Amino acid sequence: MATLTVWKFDTPDGAESAESTLLQLQKQELIQVLDAAVATWPQDAKKPKTKQLHNLAGVGALSGMFWGMLFGLIFLMPLFGAAIGAAAGALGGKMADVGIDDDFIESVKSQVTPGTSALFLMSQDAVVDRVKEAFPSAHAELIQSNLDSAQEAKLREIFAE
């Protein structure tokens, strides 16, 4: 079963620095990273900068379109016009079909704010206790949404290249 996790960090560079921790965990076979992306939001910026972490992604990597749409739903909706908003609404329905519902979106939106960063991670086979230990709890907070195998298959179908 795949898991979409969002690790919120209390600094703008925390998510990018977590990349090396994930690489170590993956080498130790404590987690299998399917895909990952980060959002960094400096205190004085109007919106976060986002990027996909290609060097962590495995064979099952999702397309950049998935991350773009997810980040659009979380961070950019107020900037879109009505026509794009309607299309995004339809996409939001598809995302809900795969377990990424409005509550998850709103939770991330309310917690990832200027002066913070977030690591978005699609993974499986994680040794959860060991992974949690690798991120200092004072600096990282876990927001999690599990996907069952049917939801994961639907997600891959929606965002197939």
Side-chain angles (χ1 to χ4, degrees):
M1 175 167 64
T3 303
L4 174 65
T5 55
V6 180
W7 293 86
K8 179 211 161 208
F9 294 85
D10 59 5
T11 62
D13 60 346
E16 285 187 329
S17 65
E19 184 176 4
S20 62
T21 301
L22 278 176
L23 284 170
Q24 291 173 342
L25 292 169
Q26 193 164 242
K27 286 178 185 173
Q28 296 172 27
E29 298 182 2
L30 296 174
I31 192 168
Q32 181 183 356
V33 177
L34 301 176
D35 210 345
V38 296
T40 58
W41 201 337
Q43 187 66 40
D44 57 348
K46 292 185 181 186
K47 61 182 179 178
K49 294 179 186 175
T50 59
K51 74 174 186 175
Q52 192 168 0
L53 299 178
H54 296 287
N55 60 334
L56 285 174
V59 174
L62 294 167
S63 72
M65 185 170 81
F66 166 73
W67 296 116
M69 294 295 185
L70 181 61
F71 290 148
L73 287 169
I74 294 172
F75 300 117
L76 306 175
M77 284 305 289
L79 304 176
F80 289 170
I84 294 173
L91 175 69
K94 288 182 179 183
M95 296 290 252
D97 290 345
V98 296
I100 303 170
D101 61 12
D102 289 343
D103 292 338
F104 179 78
I105 299 292
E106 288 303 316
S107 177
V108 175
K109 187 186 296 187
S110 70
Q111 295 181 56
V112 181
T113 57
T116 67
S117 60
L119 169 67
F120 292 76
L121 180 65
M122 182 71 70
S123 65
Q124 65 184 30
D125 302 329
V127 180
V128 177
D129 293 340
R130 299 279 303 276
V131 172
K132 280 186 179 181
E133 288 172 10
F135 295 109
S137 61
H139 302 289
E141 181 181 344
L142 176 65
I143 306 165
Q144 181 171 303
S145 175
N146 288 322
L147 307 176
D148 64 30
S149 55
Q151 291 170 321
E152 180 185 1
K154 182 130 178 115
L155 179 69
R156 292 193 183 284
E157 176 184 317
I158 291 168
F159 293 99
E161 291 185 304

